[in-house]
Amino acid sequence: MTVTAQDIVNGAAQKLGILRKSESLSADESADAFTLLNDLLGDLSNESLMLYATVTDSLSLSAASSYLIGTGQTLSTERPMWIKAATITVGSIDYPLKVIPEDDFQVQIMQKTVSASIPQYLTYNNAFPYGTIKLWPVLSAAATLTLQSEKQLTAFTALSTTFSMPPGWSSMLKNNLALLMYPSYGISVDPSVVQEARTTKGNVKKQAIKAHPMTFSDDISTRYSVLSGTE
């Protein structure tokens, strides 16, 4: 689900009955609620309940064998947890890149210094604090790289910033933000909002456990082949 921080703030205000759908909060009210929303994300993070948002970045590249990605680096944006899809734009044409595991990149590509104006593969090492992106063949001229990646959302950067959230997160944030907002308005909160805040938070926690189970495997025989495009 795609939402903005303002959508969540407005939804929380509507839960409290202080805002109708046709109305808007004042700038000061929105700013105060925005601060509380980021406080809520911090509290959730402390409970090991992390929000991973799908974010699209468009980044300018020059010819290089690798690129550091992270705030203040060659590709200056928040470090992705993982990259879901990528395209490279040369001239006015977008070319899809195949995202492959780093170990396959290291083992299966022998001539790593081969260059071309249109790479075919991208690999990503999400080391902390900065990740590393490599393209193959190595980019030989300037181009634009567009990444669709998952990033851990520890704070909204602006009320207008758009994020794609997993199912259930928007409702959970609205209900739990309402519980932080109501004291500022000197009103009581409806018990149904309290219950919904608990229920939606519990549902998100259950989904987080299902999405990130602890698994072990000793089968290392199946490998993706860069050269053949098969497993």
Side-chain angles (χ1 to χ4, degrees):
M1 182 177 184
T2 301
V3 298
T4 65
Q6 186 71 67
D7 293 332
I8 295 171
V9 166
N10 290 347
Q14 290 167 9
K15 292 281 184 182
L16 294 175
I18 59 176
L19 185 70
R20 297 175 184 239
K21 287 188 176 181
S22 60
E23 299 175 334
S24 299
L25 292 174
S26 69
D28 285 345
E29 289 175 314
S30 290
D32 289 343
F34 180 70
T35 299
L36 291 175
L37 176 57
N38 280 333
D39 288 344
L40 174 59
L41 285 178
D43 291 340
L44 293 172
S45 178
N46 288 335
E47 295 180 36
S48 297
L49 191 57
M50 308 299 184
L51 171 56
Y52 293 94
T54 301
V55 180
T56 299
D57 289 304
S58 184
L59 306 163
S60 297
L61 298 184
S62 57
S65 59
S66 64
Y67 307 88
L68 286 179
I69 183 168
T71 304
Q73 299 306 299
T74 305
L75 305 182
S76 186
T77 183
E78 186 179 351
R79 179 183 66 96
M81 298 302 294
W82 61 88
I83 294 174
K84 299 172 63 176
T87 60
I88 193 159
T89 304
V90 179
S92 58
I93 302 176
D94 296 334
Y95 299 92
L97 296 171
K98 180 70 177 180
V99 181
I100 62 173
E102 187 185 24
D103 55 355
D104 288 346
F105 183 92
Q106 295 295 337
V107 172
Q108 298 187 29
I109 296 179
M110 303 302 177
Q111 298 292 333
K112 295 181 175 60
T113 59
V114 172
S115 63
S117 59
I118 304 173
Q120 301 174 49
Y121 299 100
L122 178 148
T123 189
Y124 177 57
N125 182 330
N126 69 342
F128 183 84
Y130 308 119
T132 301
I133 288 174
K134 294 181 181 179
L135 304 177
W136 190 86
V138 175
L139 184 65
S140 62
T144 299
L145 177 66
T146 301
L147 300 175
Q148 186 180 68
S149 66
E150 295 286 312
K151 299 183 181 182
Q152 182 180 327
L153 181 59
T154 55
F156 287 94
T157 55
L159 282 164
S160 59
T161 304
T162 300
F163 291 94
S164 178
M165 294 185 177
W169 268 89
S170 178
S171 177
M172 185 273 287
L173 290 174
K174 290 174 184 176
N175 282 287
N176 283 273
L177 177 60
L179 301 186
L180 297 180
M181 288 173 59
Y182 85 87
S184 298
Y185 291 89
I187 60 175
S188 60
V189 62
D190 192 300
S192 66
V193 176
V194 177
Q195 183 57 48
E196 196 169 354
R198 291 173 180 166
T199 300
T200 54
K201 187 176 181 181
N203 290 340
V204 165
K205 283 188 173 182
K206 290 177 185 177
Q207 290 301 318
I209 293 172
K210 290 180 181 179
H212 301 283
M214 185 176 292
T215 59
F216 298 90
S217 174
D218 58 4
D219 180 9
I220 59 173
S221 60
T222 301
R223 307 285 290 178
Y224 178 85
S225 172
V226 172
L227 300 180
S228 66
T230 60
E231 294 186 352

